[in-house]
Amino acid sequence: MKVVKFGGSSLATGEQFNKVIDIISDDSDRKVIVTSAPGKRFDGDIKVTDLLIDYAQKVLQKKDHHATLDSLIQRYQEISDYFELENSTIDTIKQKLSSLATEKFSDDDHLMAAFKAHGEYMNAIMLAAILNKKGIPAKFLDPKDAGFLVGGEPNNADVLEDTYLNLSKYKFDEQRVVFPGFFGYSEDGSIYTFTRGGSDITGAILSRGFKADLYENFTDVDAIYVANNHVVDHPAAITKMSYREMRELSYAGFSVFQDEAIIPAVQGQVPVNVKNTNNPSAPGTLIVPEQFLFNPANPITGIASSKRFSALYLHRYLLNKEVGFTLQLLKIFYRYGISYEHMPSGIDDLTIIFDRSKLSKSMIKDLCNDIKETLDPDYIEWIDDYAIIMVVGEGIAHTVDTMGKIIDSLTENNIAIHMINQGASRISIMIGTRMKDADKAVRHIYDTFFNNSDEVE
């Protein structure tokens, strides 16, 4: 049995729905279909989720919301008209979207979560109706009826373990199951959404809960590529990679998956196949447990970069002899509610790398002043001009010259290395550079390992 998730661009128009229906009907094992909200139909278009956020904000601000509501309904009306559905489906969608404006919520966060979830919710209702009209038996399954329970915060949900027990009890029949992505229900019956892109998370949770043989994630690209195609021209496709390679690369900037989206599939040991709705015959990229990965032909599987980081550099003579210095530093971070990403060190030096998006200028200033007063370092510097390159591959642990080749590729092209660190897993090498050098670094590393290769497995 397969769980299949379709992204927003795959479900944006009637024409795209037809492609989805062909994919579903092509394989009887595709029993569970997870929907996203309709995405952009063309450049400059507005995603349905963004329309729902605008709708929610206007309701909260007591502004006229009817034009936004009409735009939302029209998106689903166009799809309904394309397939000449009976009025009952679009009437249900109109009623549910309209009633959001008068529904009572416990606070603004709960309201926003409920509004956002309706993009996926309505698209699942729509797809189930279309499949039935096409002669493919299907039923819409509300997450509430499936026992899809979440906790956390209304707009940043976490799946509860009870969900997996509830899903394991579900009895399949000849009907396909159409399941809305992106949201679940709290134990008190409120709608909570995952982070943006949460339909991927829903698909992974269902894959584990239903004990699927495969989780197919259909997007608008043929595969996951070794590097960002906006940085490297025509990068090689990755045909197979491990879960932990995907996690490392997602963290560092790969955009096909959010890094947390794959965790339930990892826990359930369900392989993931990333494929293209517009080219479904392409093999895509298979993500598997590392024990199922064949010996890679290339030590490097992927190269990613991110410019969202900043670094705090500390120098103190005989730092390695001082007991408790790092502990005091961590206590300061704790007081400010700050988590750090990495902390490479030397005998007299310490660099702490942060996600800059989580820090304000005032917080940075107060943090540095607090460190000066508490720890009295010989030198302290906050560095905003910082990027991280992540080179990832299961083969790195089994080769002796990978690090040397990477360093040579950068130094020969006058790219200064601020930091280099091999992860404890031995499958990733992290390099710190200036922001302006990040893309150039990715290109040179790519050329070193892939300039004579079309694909990597």
Side-chain angles (χ1 to χ4, degrees):
M1 187 271 282
K2 298 176 183 178
V3 171
V4 189
K5 174 262 176 182
F6 292 97
S9 61
S10 302
L11 295 168
T13 66
E15 291 85 350
Q16 288 298 106
F17 263 77
N18 262 336
K19 296 176 184 178
V20 166
I21 292 162
D22 288 342
I23 290 168
I24 294 168
S25 60
D26 187 55
D27 188 343
S28 60
D29 285 340
R30 289 171 174 147
K31 294 287 289 184
V32 180
I33 299 98
V34 180
T35 61
S36 300
K40 292 183 178 181
R41 297 162 293 182
F42 46 81
D43 288 342
D45 195 18
I46 302 175
K47 296 179 179 180
V48 161
T49 301
D50 291 324
L51 285 171
L52 285 162
I53 291 171
D54 182 55
Y55 180 22
Q57 289 171 340
K58 285 176 176 172
V59 169
L60 287 170
Q61 296 164 9
K62 296 182 169 53
K63 293 182 177 179
D64 183 16
H65 60 264
H66 290 93
T68 303
L69 176 59
D70 289 344
S71 296
L72 277 165
I73 292 171
Q74 184 59 33
R75 290 295 298 271
Y76 294 102
Q77 183 75 60
E78 288 176 1
I79 298 168
S80 178
D81 291 345
Y82 182 91
F83 290 100
E84 299 180 347
L85 294 180
E86 294 181 3
N87 289 335
S88 58
T89 300
I90 194 64
D91 287 345
T92 297
I93 290 173
K94 287 178 181 178
Q95 187 275 324
K96 287 185 176 294
L97 289 174
S98 300
S99 65
L100 284 170
T102 56
E103 192 172 338
K104 300 299 181 184
F105 297 94
S106 57
D107 57 39
D108 293 355
D109 287 338
H110 283 80
L111 179 147
M112 182 59 74
F115 273 63
K116 288 191 302 182
H118 274 68
E120 282 76 8
Y121 196 162
M122 299 302 101
N123 232 17
I125 291 173
M126 180 70 71
L127 179 57
I130 294 168
L131 287 171
N132 281 306
K133 176 158 187 179
K134 291 281 189 177
I136 304 170
K139 61 181 174 184
F140 166 77
L141 180 57
D142 193 311
K144 180 179 286 186
D145 297 331
F148 197 98
L149 298 175
V150 295
E153 301 173 2
N155 295 281
N156 188 16
D158 300 308
V159 66
L160 299 181
E161 281 299 313
D162 283 350
T163 293
Y164 297 112
L165 177 61
N166 296 336
L167 293 174
S168 69
K169 297 175 182 176
Y170 185 81
K171 302 298 183 184
F172 286 94
D173 53 28
E174 76 283 356
Q175 292 180 299
R176 313 291 178 114
V177 171
V178 184
F179 200 101
F182 191 34
F183 75 95
Y185 288 87
S186 67
E187 291 179 307
D188 69 359
S190 299
I191 289 177
Y192 280 23
T193 60
F194 296 113
T195 51
R196 199 72 180 263
S199 292
D200 288 337
I201 302 174
T202 301
I205 292 168
L206 295 179
S207 298
R208 174 186 165 187
F210 290 141
K211 295 181 172 58
D213 299 305
L214 182 67
Y215 170 30
E216 292 182 309
N217 191 296
F218 280 86
T219 66
D220 55 3
V221 295
D222 279 351
I224 299 173
Y225 296 96
V226 171
N228 187 328
N229 61 2
H230 297 295
V231 176
V232 174
D233 289 335
H234 307 295
I238 302 170
T239 59
K240 188 181 290 185
M241 66 193 306
S242 69
Y243 290 138
R244 59 182 185 170
E245 286 176 329
M246 185 70 247
R247 280 276 293 154
E248 296 267 10
L249 290 166
S250 293
Y251 166 78
F254 265 42
S255 59
V256 174
F257 267 122
Q258 290 192 346
D259 58 339
E260 72 270 22
I262 201 171
I263 292 175
V266 173
Q267 293 167 335
Q269 296 288 281
V270 181
V272 180
N273 198 182
V274 177
K275 294 173 71 71
N276 189 351
T277 304
N278 302 309
N279 186 19
S281 62
T285 298
L286 192 64
I287 309 170
V288 298
E290 46 268 21
Q291 63 265 31
F292 298 140
L293 196 70
F294 297 110
N295 292 329
N298 195 310
I300 305 302
T301 297
I303 311 160
S305 66
S306 177
K307 302 172 186 177
R308 73 178 192 272
F309 297 101
S310 291
L312 177 64
Y313 171 69
L314 298 172
H315 176 82
R316 185 179 176 114
Y317 184 58
L318 296 178
L319 177 62
N320 63 316
K321 302 289 187 182
E322 189 165 345
V323 177
F325 185 91
T326 305
L327 176 60
Q328 293 182 70
L329 185 63
L330 293 175
K331 285 181 177 178
I332 294 172
F333 296 161
Y334 181 77
R335 287 202 300 271
Y336 284 84
I338 295 171
S339 61
Y340 70 91
E341 303 294 317
H342 311 283
M343 192 184 290
S345 63
I347 57 172
D348 297 324
D349 307 273
L350 192 64
T351 300
I352 307 97
I353 300 169
F354 301 92
D355 184 338
R356 186 171 55 252
S357 66
K358 298 177 182 178
L359 304 174
S360 65
K361 289 184 178 179
S362 61
M363 183 183 290
I364 293 169
K365 181 179 178 180
D366 292 342
L367 174 67
C368 291
N369 288 335
D370 202 343
I371 291 172
K372 287 179 184 177
E373 293 175 6
T374 305
L375 298 175
D376 191 27
D378 297 330
Y379 180 77
I380 181 172
E381 180 185 5
W382 183 268
I383 306 168
D384 271 325
D385 185 6
Y386 207 91
I388 282 181
I389 316 298
M390 192 74 81
V391 183
V392 177
E394 293 284 347
I396 291 175
H398 307 292
T399 56
V400 296
D401 60 348
T402 303
M403 182 85 77
K405 287 181 178 179
I406 292 170
I407 293 172
D408 288 346
S409 70
L410 300 183
T411 56
E412 288 171 3
N413 290 282
N414 298 314
I415 297 174
I417 299 172
H418 290 183
M419 176 272 294
I420 189 163
N421 182 41
Q422 184 163 5
S425 67
R426 299 179 64 215
I427 71 160
S428 65
I429 297 171
M430 183 191 312
I431 303 135
T433 70
R434 297 179 65 183
M435 291 172 64
K436 72 178 182 63
D437 289 331
D439 290 350
K440 187 164 61 169
V442 170
R443 285 192 288 270
H444 287 302
I445 295 170
Y446 179 88
D447 287 342
T448 298
F449 290 92
F450 294 96
N451 56 0
N452 293 315
S453 176
D454 292 324
E455 81 176 13
V456 56
E457 180 173 331

